[in-house]
mmCIF file of all heavy atoms in Angstrom:
data_model
loop_
_atom_site.group_PDB
_atom_site.id
_atom_site.type_symbol
_atom_site.label_atom_id
_atom_site.label_comp_id
_atom_site.label_asym_id
_atom_site.label_seq_id
_atom_site.Cartn_x
_atom_site.Cartn_y
_atom_site.Cartn_z
ATOM 1 N N ILE A 98 -18.976 -4.895 -19.275
ATOM 2 C CA ILE A 98 -17.578 -5.286 -19.268
ATOM 3 C C ILE A 98 -17.109 -5.499 -20.701
ATOM 4 O O ILE A 98 -17.627 -6.355 -21.421
ATOM 5 C CB ILE A 98 -17.370 -6.568 -18.436
ATOM 6 C CG1 ILE A 98 -17.908 -6.356 -17.015
ATOM 7 C CG2 ILE A 98 -15.897 -6.941 -18.398
ATOM 8 C CD1 ILE A 98 -17.807 -7.583 -16.140
ATOM 9 N N LEU A 99 -16.126 -4.714 -21.105
ATOM 10 C CA LEU A 99 -15.575 -4.811 -22.444
ATOM 11 C C LEU A 99 -14.466 -5.863 -22.480
ATOM 12 O O LEU A 99 -13.837 -6.126 -21.463
ATOM 13 C CB LEU A 99 -15.010 -3.459 -22.876
ATOM 14 C CG LEU A 99 -15.983 -2.274 -22.803
ATOM 15 C CD1 LEU A 99 -15.270 -0.997 -23.214
ATOM 16 C CD2 LEU A 99 -17.202 -2.524 -23.672
ATOM 17 N N PRO A 100 -14.218 -6.486 -23.653
ATOM 18 C CA PRO A 100 -14.837 -6.233 -24.959
ATOM 19 C C PRO A 100 -16.240 -6.831 -25.067
ATOM 20 O O PRO A 100 -16.531 -7.854 -24.453
ATOM 21 C CB PRO A 100 -13.880 -6.918 -25.931
ATOM 22 C CG PRO A 100 -13.232 -7.984 -25.130
ATOM 23 C CD PRO A 100 -13.120 -7.465 -23.736
ATOM 24 N N MET A 101 -17.071 -6.172 -25.855
ATOM 25 C CA MET A 101 -18.469 -6.573 -26.002
ATOM 26 C C MET A 101 -18.960 -6.146 -27.382
ATOM 27 O O MET A 101 -18.670 -5.038 -27.827
ATOM 28 C CB MET A 101 -19.309 -5.909 -24.910
ATOM 29 C CG MET A 101 -20.799 -6.186 -25.015
ATOM 30 S SD MET A 101 -21.724 -5.358 -23.687
ATOM 31 C CE MET A 101 -21.193 -6.301 -22.263
ATOM 32 N N PRO A 102 -19.697 -7.016 -28.060
ATOM 33 C CA PRO A 102 -20.222 -6.620 -29.370
ATOM 34 C C PRO A 102 -21.209 -5.468 -29.241
ATOM 35 O O PRO A 102 -21.927 -5.368 -28.243
ATOM 36 C CB PRO A 102 -20.910 -7.885 -29.881
ATOM 37 C CG PRO A 102 -20.981 -8.819 -28.747
ATOM 38 C CD PRO A 102 -20.051 -8.369 -27.682
ATOM 39 N N PRO A 103 -21.257 -4.582 -30.204
ATOM 40 C CA PRO A 103 -22.130 -3.408 -30.127
ATOM 41 C C PRO A 103 -23.587 -3.747 -29.844
ATOM 42 O O PRO A 103 -24.263 -3.021 -29.111
ATOM 43 C CB PRO A 103 -21.956 -2.760 -31.505
ATOM 44 C CG PRO A 103 -20.596 -3.177 -31.949
ATOM 45 C CD PRO A 103 -20.420 -4.565 -31.425
ATOM 46 N N LYS A 104 -24.106 -4.854 -30.414
ATOM 47 C CA LYS A 104 -25.530 -5.161 -30.198
ATOM 48 C C LYS A 104 -25.796 -5.474 -28.719
ATOM 49 O O LYS A 104 -26.869 -5.138 -28.199
ATOM 50 C CB LYS A 104 -25.976 -6.318 -31.084
ATOM 51 C CG LYS A 104 -25.341 -7.664 -30.764
ATOM 52 C CD LYS A 104 -25.938 -8.783 -31.629
ATOM 53 C CE LYS A 104 -25.381 -10.137 -31.239
ATOM 54 N NZ LYS A 104 -25.989 -11.227 -32.058
ATOM 55 N N TRP A 105 -24.846 -6.117 -28.066
ATOM 56 C CA TRP A 105 -25.010 -6.387 -26.637
ATOM 57 C C TRP A 105 -24.914 -5.097 -25.831
ATOM 58 O O TRP A 105 -25.657 -4.898 -24.870
ATOM 59 C CB TRP A 105 -23.958 -7.387 -26.165
ATOM 60 C CG TRP A 105 -24.290 -8.796 -26.519
ATOM 61 C CD1 TRP A 105 -23.846 -9.502 -27.606
ATOM 62 C CD2 TRP A 105 -25.149 -9.665 -25.794
ATOM 63 N NE1 TRP A 105 -24.379 -10.764 -27.600
ATOM 64 C CE2 TRP A 105 -25.185 -10.895 -26.501
ATOM 65 C CE3 TRP A 105 -25.897 -9.537 -24.632
ATOM 66 C CZ2 TRP A 105 -25.930 -11.980 -26.070
ATOM 67 C CZ3 TRP A 105 -26.647 -10.620 -24.195
ATOM 68 C CH2 TRP A 105 -26.668 -11.824 -24.914
ATOM 69 N N ALA A 106 -23.978 -4.240 -26.210
ATOM 70 C CA ALA A 106 -23.838 -2.962 -25.515
ATOM 71 C C ALA A 106 -25.107 -2.133 -25.636
ATOM 72 O O ALA A 106 -25.598 -1.552 -24.652
ATOM 73 C CB ALA A 106 -22.644 -2.203 -26.075
ATOM 74 N N ASP A 107 -25.665 -2.087 -26.834
ATOM 75 C CA ASP A 107 -26.906 -1.337 -27.033
ATOM 76 C C ASP A 107 -28.040 -1.930 -26.203
ATOM 77 O O ASP A 107 -28.854 -1.203 -25.613
ATOM 78 C CB ASP A 107 -27.291 -1.335 -28.515
ATOM 79 C CG ASP A 107 -26.317 -0.530 -29.366
ATOM 80 O OD1 ASP A 107 -25.593 0.300 -28.778
ATOM 81 O OD2 ASP A 107 -26.271 -0.744 -30.591
ATOM 82 N N ALA A 108 -28.090 -3.275 -26.147
ATOM 83 C CA ALA A 108 -29.151 -3.927 -25.378
ATOM 84 C C ALA A 108 -29.016 -3.620 -23.891
ATOM 85 O O ALA A 108 -30.016 -3.357 -23.206
ATOM 86 C CB ALA A 108 -29.109 -5.434 -25.624
ATOM 87 N N MET A 109 -27.800 -3.640 -23.387
ATOM 88 C CA MET A 109 -27.602 -3.366 -21.956
ATOM 89 C C MET A 109 -27.919 -1.911 -21.631
ATOM 90 O O MET A 109 -28.496 -1.610 -20.582
ATOM 91 C CB MET A 109 -26.176 -3.736 -21.552
ATOM 92 C CG MET A 109 -25.906 -5.239 -21.640
ATOM 93 S SD MET A 109 -24.372 -5.758 -20.854
ATOM 94 C CE MET A 109 -24.794 -5.600 -19.119
ATOM 95 N N LEU A 110 -27.535 -1.014 -22.498
ATOM 96 C CA LEU A 110 -27.883 0.391 -22.284
ATOM 97 C C LEU A 110 -29.399 0.576 -22.243
ATOM 98 O O LEU A 110 -29.923 1.330 -21.415
ATOM 99 C CB LEU A 110 -27.277 1.258 -23.393
ATOM 100 C CG LEU A 110 -25.772 1.517 -23.315
ATOM 101 C CD1 LEU A 110 -25.310 2.278 -24.545
ATOM 102 C CD2 LEU A 110 -25.440 2.312 -22.060
ATOM 103 N N ALA A 111 -30.089 -0.097 -23.126
ATOM 104 C CA ALA A 111 -31.549 0.036 -23.173
ATOM 105 C C ALA A 111 -32.196 -0.586 -21.936
ATOM 106 O O ALA A 111 -33.119 -0.011 -21.350
ATOM 107 C CB ALA A 111 -32.087 -0.610 -24.450
ATOM 108 N N ARG A 112 -31.717 -1.760 -21.532
ATOM 109 C CA ARG A 112 -32.344 -2.462 -20.410
ATOM 110 C C ARG A 112 -31.983 -1.857 -19.057
ATOM 111 O O ARG A 112 -32.685 -2.083 -18.081
ATOM 112 C CB ARG A 112 -31.949 -3.938 -20.456
ATOM 113 C CG ARG A 112 -32.614 -4.675 -21.612
ATOM 114 C CD ARG A 112 -32.036 -6.048 -21.830
ATOM 115 N NE ARG A 112 -32.658 -6.700 -22.987
ATOM 116 C CZ ARG A 112 -32.211 -7.805 -23.548
ATOM 117 N NH1 ARG A 112 -31.118 -8.394 -23.063
ATOM 118 N NH2 ARG A 112 -32.834 -8.323 -24.598
ATOM 119 N N SER A 113 -30.901 -1.105 -18.983
ATOM 120 C CA SER A 113 -30.592 -0.407 -17.722
ATOM 121 C C SER A 113 -31.503 0.795 -17.510
ATOM 122 O O SER A 113 -31.513 1.384 -16.423
ATOM 123 C CB SER A 113 -29.128 0.043 -17.735
ATOM 124 O OG SER A 113 -28.888 0.964 -18.785
ATOM 125 N N LYS A 114 -32.234 1.154 -18.559
ATOM 126 C CA LYS A 114 -33.237 2.235 -18.507
ATOM 127 C C LYS A 114 -32.623 3.535 -17.989
ATOM 128 O O LYS A 114 -31.652 4.018 -18.541
ATOM 129 C CB LYS A 114 -34.440 1.787 -17.678
ATOM 130 C CG LYS A 114 -35.158 0.591 -18.315
ATOM 131 C CD LYS A 114 -36.419 0.198 -17.571
ATOM 132 C CE LYS A 114 -37.089 -0.977 -18.276
ATOM 133 N NZ LYS A 114 -38.315 -1.433 -17.574
ATOM 134 N N LEU A 115 -33.140 4.087 -16.885
ATOM 135 C CA LEU A 115 -32.680 5.386 -16.409
ATOM 136 C C LEU A 115 -31.492 5.293 -15.454
ATOM 137 O O LEU A 115 -30.976 6.321 -15.004
ATOM 138 C CB LEU A 115 -33.820 6.123 -15.709
ATOM 139 C CG LEU A 115 -35.037 6.455 -16.588
ATOM 140 C CD1 LEU A 115 -36.101 7.165 -15.770
ATOM 141 C CD2 LEU A 115 -34.621 7.309 -17.784
ATOM 142 N N LEU A 116 -31.063 4.073 -15.142
ATOM 143 C CA LEU A 116 -29.941 3.918 -14.213
ATOM 144 C C LEU A 116 -28.622 4.239 -14.902
ATOM 145 O O LEU A 116 -28.422 3.908 -16.076
ATOM 146 C CB LEU A 116 -29.885 2.486 -13.680
ATOM 147 C CG LEU A 116 -31.020 2.041 -12.766
ATOM 148 C CD1 LEU A 116 -30.797 0.600 -12.319
ATOM 149 C CD2 LEU A 116 -31.132 2.956 -11.550
ATOM 150 N N PRO A 117 -27.665 4.865 -14.197
ATOM 151 C CA PRO A 117 -26.332 5.070 -14.773
ATOM 152 C C PRO A 117 -25.614 3.734 -14.910
ATOM 153 O O PRO A 117 -25.881 2.790 -14.151
ATOM 154 C CB PRO A 117 -25.637 5.973 -13.754
ATOM 155 C CG PRO A 117 -26.362 5.737 -12.468
ATOM 156 C CD PRO A 117 -27.785 5.437 -12.842
ATOM 157 N N VAL A 118 -24.709 3.629 -15.860
ATOM 158 C CA VAL A 118 -24.007 2.373 -16.106
ATOM 159 C C VAL A 118 -22.532 2.510 -15.714
ATOM 160 O O VAL A 118 -21.981 3.617 -15.629
ATOM 161 C CB VAL A 118 -24.103 1.943 -17.587
ATOM 162 C CG1 VAL A 118 -25.554 1.732 -17.977
ATOM 163 C CG2 VAL A 118 -23.431 2.969 -18.496
ATOM 164 N N ASN A 119 -21.911 1.349 -15.467
ATOM 165 C CA ASN A 119 -20.491 1.273 -15.141
ATOM 166 C C ASN A 119 -19.789 0.491 -16.243
ATOM 167 O O ASN A 119 -20.212 -0.608 -16.593
ATOM 168 C CB ASN A 119 -20.275 0.580 -13.792
ATOM 169 C CG ASN A 119 -21.079 1.228 -12.679
ATOM 170 O OD1 ASN A 119 -21.164 2.456 -12.596
ATOM 171 N ND2 ASN A 119 -21.662 0.407 -11.825
ATOM 172 N N ILE A 120 -18.725 1.031 -16.786
ATOM 173 C CA ILE A 120 -17.999 0.394 -17.874
ATOM 174 C C ILE A 120 -16.623 -0.023 -17.384
ATOM 175 O O ILE A 120 -15.858 0.790 -16.851
ATOM 176 C CB ILE A 120 -17.865 1.337 -19.079
ATOM 177 C CG1 ILE A 120 -19.257 1.721 -19.612
ATOM 178 C CG2 ILE A 120 -17.041 0.698 -20.181
ATOM 179 C CD1 ILE A 120 -19.212 2.702 -20.757
ATOM 180 N N TYR A 121 -16.324 -1.312 -17.554
ATOM 181 C CA TYR A 121 -15.028 -1.861 -17.158
ATOM 182 C C TYR A 121 -14.396 -2.516 -18.379
ATOM 183 O O TYR A 121 -15.093 -2.969 -19.288
ATOM 184 C CB TYR A 121 -15.170 -2.916 -16.057
ATOM 185 C CG TYR A 121 -15.919 -2.438 -14.838
ATOM 186 C CD1 TYR A 121 -17.301 -2.598 -14.737
ATOM 187 C CD2 TYR A 121 -15.251 -1.837 -13.784
ATOM 188 C CE1 TYR A 121 -17.992 -2.178 -13.627
ATOM 189 C CE2 TYR A 121 -15.939 -1.407 -12.664
ATOM 190 C CZ TYR A 121 -17.303 -1.577 -12.582
ATOM 191 O OH TYR A 121 -17.980 -1.152 -11.475
ATOM 192 N N CYS A 122 -13.092 -2.613 -18.378
ATOM 193 C CA CYS A 122 -12.384 -3.285 -19.450
ATOM 194 C C CYS A 122 -11.712 -4.520 -18.876
ATOM 195 O O CYS A 122 -10.851 -4.421 -18.001
ATOM 196 C CB CYS A 122 -11.334 -2.356 -20.062
ATOM 197 S SG CYS A 122 -10.722 -2.944 -21.645
ATOM 198 N N SER A 123 -12.119 -5.688 -19.338
ATOM 199 C CA SER A 123 -11.583 -6.948 -18.847
ATOM 200 C C SER A 123 -10.399 -7.376 -19.699
ATOM 201 O O SER A 123 -10.035 -6.717 -20.676
ATOM 202 C CB SER A 123 -12.678 -8.015 -18.857
ATOM 203 O OG SER A 123 -12.189 -9.244 -18.388
ATOM 204 N N VAL A 124 -9.796 -8.506 -19.342
ATOM 205 C CA VAL A 124 -8.740 -9.071 -20.170
ATOM 206 C C VAL A 124 -9.364 -9.582 -21.459
ATOM 207 O O VAL A 124 -10.545 -9.916 -21.508
ATOM 208 C CB VAL A 124 -8.033 -10.226 -19.429
ATOM 209 C CG1 VAL A 124 -7.299 -9.703 -18.233
ATOM 210 C CG2 VAL A 124 -9.023 -11.294 -19.010
ATOM 211 N N PHE A 125 -8.570 -9.671 -22.489
ATOM 212 C CA PHE A 125 -9.097 -10.053 -23.788
ATOM 213 C C PHE A 125 -9.251 -11.556 -23.905
ATOM 214 O O PHE A 125 -8.428 -12.324 -23.424
ATOM 215 C CB PHE A 125 -8.179 -9.537 -24.898
ATOM 216 C CG PHE A 125 -8.347 -8.078 -25.156
ATOM 217 C CD1 PHE A 125 -7.670 -7.146 -24.399
ATOM 218 C CD2 PHE A 125 -9.218 -7.642 -26.135
ATOM 219 C CE1 PHE A 125 -7.835 -5.803 -24.615
ATOM 220 C CE2 PHE A 125 -9.391 -6.293 -26.361
ATOM 221 C CZ PHE A 125 -8.698 -5.369 -25.602
ATOM 222 N N GLY A 126 -10.315 -11.962 -24.577
ATOM 223 C CA GLY A 126 -10.524 -13.377 -24.843
ATOM 224 C C GLY A 126 -9.928 -13.749 -26.186
ATOM 225 O O GLY A 126 -9.002 -13.115 -26.676
#
Side-chain angles (χ1 to χ4, degrees):
I98 304 177
L99 305 178
M101 176 180 291
K104 66 175 184 179
W105 281 96
D107 292 341
M109 294 192 73
L110 285 175
R112 289 169 183 168
S113 62
K114 297 185 179 179
L115 298 179
L116 292 181
V118 299
N119 306 318
I120 299 177
Y121 305 91
C122 195
S123 180
V124 294
F125 283 85

